Amino acid sequence: MSPAPASSFAPPKPTPVWLGWLTFAFFIFTQIYAVVTSPADAMMGHLQKMMYVHVPAAWVTFAAFGVVLVASLFFLWKDDERADLLAASAAEVGSMFCGLTLVLGMLWGRPTWGVWWSWDARLTSTLVLFLIFVGYLALRSFVEDPHRRGQWSAAVGILGAINVPIVWMSVKWWRTLHQIQSNPRGLSPEYLRGLLLNVAAFTLLTVWFIWKRYEAARLERAAEHASQAAALGGYNG
Amino acid sequence: MGNEMIANGGVEYVAASYIITWVVLGVMLARVVGSVRRARSEYAQASKGEFQT
């Protein structure tokens, strides 16, 4: 076991406040824009408007778990605790969006399929993804040693991220109640604009959430290190 | 049954999905802002040597 580099314990630069305001203002705009400008669909009626929250939430779930994968690999390669803290921040945000995707999918499934839940491949693999990352977060709370915690959670993070392409491809590999991914080229421009704007807004929100959680995690580690240094200084003195 | 709901618009499901999304994002916002504030104050105390372990 090697000590973490001193740079891991330095407090991070604060996240710009304007970025948070801009992100939330853009999110509110895209939500209103999509709901107001998209007409009722011939088949789905107004239920189509659920696409502007369900699809972006699913997209950012995949993106967040992509960050977990890359940061976990980087941690195992370079042994840099900052990568572990970034992976944990992304897992927390990703789990939240994964849970939201499941709930929104159930709300969409009830009026269209007549059931809240079906054990089909897409829904089940998404639930498995959610449980893997809840397990990832639970594991982190059980392990005290930061280095061991980083190694174990990186292993779970990497294995868990393997499920992301399975979730994505599940609608093509198996016969599912869930429809296959819509091709953006097949969508009318009035639906596509709202969808792309909301995907962009959810992505910005995710980046901001992960950044803030990472900032908090770095500050917590810096505080732990400073208090340990103060205690050692007092003991030596 | 599903088709009847679609014909009726399913507006209550749409409204519920947006309300749940905003509530979840609001809770996440409060959580992350709170965690940064708490961590910043912990760090300020620790760096002054006031932190008790």
Side-chain angles (χ1 to χ4, degrees):
Chain A
M1 192 171 121
S2 57
S7 56
S8 300
F9 303 121
K13 285 182 186 171
T15 318
V17 175
W18 61 265
L19 186 68
W21 286 109
L22 191 72
T23 302
F24 277 89
F26 183 58
F27 170 73
I28 291 165
F29 164 74
T30 59
Q31 292 270 284
I32 294 170
Y33 175 86
V35 170
V36 170
T37 62
S38 68
D41 179 64
M43 292 284 288
M44 299 280 275
H46 287 294
L47 286 173
Q48 170 277 331
K49 290 178 170 59
M50 293 171 96
M51 177 176 75
Y52 305 123
V53 282
H54 179 65
V55 176
W59 151 247
V60 294
T61 299
F62 295 155
F65 291 145
V67 175
V68 174
L69 173 67
V70 173
S72 298
L73 287 169
F74 191 81
F75 172 75
L76 291 180
W77 179 37
K78 290 283 184 186
D79 200 17
D80 187 336
E81 197 188 359
R82 288 172 296 183
D84 173 52
L85 297 178
L86 177 62
S89 307
E92 189 179 324
V93 175
S95 307
M96 185 269 294
F97 277 114
C98 193
L100 182 62
T101 304
L102 283 167
V103 171
L104 295 176
M106 287 166 74
L107 274 168
W108 205 350
R110 176 75 179 109
T112 48
W113 304 332
V115 288
W116 292 103
W117 181 263
S118 161
W119 291 101
D120 90 348
R122 171 55 73 86
L123 276 67
T124 308
S125 56
T126 309
L127 179 64
V128 168
L129 187 67
F130 177 68
L131 294 176
I132 287 170
F133 285 94
V134 169
Y136 173 98
L137 295 171
L139 171 72
R140 293 189 67 84
S141 63
F142 294 141
V143 185
E144 291 271 328
D145 176 49
H147 192 261
R148 191 168 294 169
R149 181 172 60 216
Q151 285 182 324
W152 289 6
S153 50
V156 175
I158 292 163
L159 289 173
I162 292 171
N163 195 30
V164 170
I166 296 173
V167 176
W168 176 258
M169 294 303 292
S170 58
V171 287
K172 292 182 180 167
W173 288 344
W174 295 284
R175 288 177 127 195
T176 59
L177 200 54
H178 194 285
Q179 67 168 68
I180 61 163
Q181 293 93 345
S182 299
N183 186 343
R185 286 181 210 144
L187 275 179
S188 312
E190 58 261 41
Y191 299 134
L192 185 61
R193 268 196 299 272
L195 179 61
L196 292 179
L197 279 170
N198 274 286
V199 165
F202 272 71
T203 306
L204 273 175
L205 265 181
T206 304
V207 169
W208 189 81
F209 280 145
I210 292 175
W211 196 345
K212 292 298 276 185
R213 282 300 294 146
Y214 175 65
E215 185 184 337
R218 288 274 308 274
L219 279 164
E220 281 162 14
R221 286 296 291 141
E224 275 172 35
H225 185 66
S227 60
Q228 279 166 3
L232 280 175
Y235 179 77
N236 291 334
Chain B
M1 184 164 61
N3 289 338
E4 283 167 29
M5 285 185 213
I6 292 172
N8 292 335
V11 177
E12 64 275 24
Y13 289 94
V14 179
S17 69
Y18 278 81
I19 289 167
I20 288 171
T21 302
W22 296 336
V23 167
V24 168
L25 294 179
V27 168
M28 191 68 189
L29 172 68
R31 192 175 150 78
V32 294
V33 171
S35 68
V36 171
R37 281 193 186 154
R38 234 181 354 262
R40 201 171 283 156
S41 121
E42 264 177 34
Y43 177 72
Q45 280 184 320
S47 55
K48 281 186 218 156
E50 293 169 5
F51 200 82
Q52 299 297 313
T53 52

